[in-house]
Amino acid sequence: VQLVESGGGLVQPGGSLRLSCAASGFAFGAYWINWLRQAPGKGLEWVSAISSDGGGTYYADSVKGRFTISRDNARNTLYLQMNSLKPEDTALYYCARDRGLQAYDYWGQGTQVTVSS
């Protein structure tokens, strides 16, 4: 099982980024997948989740209305479109495979998002 995030970078407040998570080694379309993040000096924060078929999407209150999670099961890829970025969105962003009960069994290495002027 492998999850590889990409798409992070430095962006100004109010800007946008799209993160990707390329999955391999498992039946991607059979699993819920999550985005989580960890800001410097803070704990891990759940950001968003998507059901296996993409029909259900869920967001933390802190990103609702600004972030959109999606997936392409034909390409084994998860996305996170992030708009109206704020400095407090600065974090290392991870994708993680869901194993139920708010637990995750496989993680990527993370991609850094920095929002700063």
Side-chain angles (χ1 to χ4, degrees):
V1 173
Q2 192 172 20
L3 297 166
V4 180
E5 302 93 337
S6 62
L10 174 64
V11 62
Q12 292 187 341
S16 297
L17 281 175
R18 189 175 82 153
L19 306 184
S20 298
C21 171
S24 60
F26 68 102
F28 179 72
Y31 288 86
W32 287 52
I33 309 290
N34 300 261
W35 286 103
L36 299 100
R37 66 186 182 185
Q38 187 163 25
K42 296 190 176 181
L44 197 63
E45 178 187 15
W46 173 81
V47 173
S48 183
I50 189 166
S51 63
S52 55
D53 66 355
T57 57
Y58 307 86
Y59 300 94
D61 287 344
S62 58
V63 306
K64 200 172 293 181
R66 300 188 298 120
F67 290 12
T68 303
I69 191 171
S70 62
R71 65 192 297 163
D72 184 340
N73 285 348
R75 296 178 182 270
N76 289 351
T77 304
L78 173 75
Y79 302 101
L80 186 68
Q81 178 66 44
M82 306 186 297
N83 299 329
S84 302
L85 283 160
K86 305 175 181 180
E88 51 264 43
D89 295 317
T90 294
L92 190 59
Y93 283 72
Y94 300 93
C95 58
R97 194 176 78 170
D98 199 291
R99 69 176 184 94
L101 300 175
Q102 297 182 331
Y104 318 101
D105 56 2
Y106 289 96
W107 298 70
Q109 82 291 346
T111 187
Q112 179 66 41
V113 172
T114 302
V115 184
S116 175
S117 54

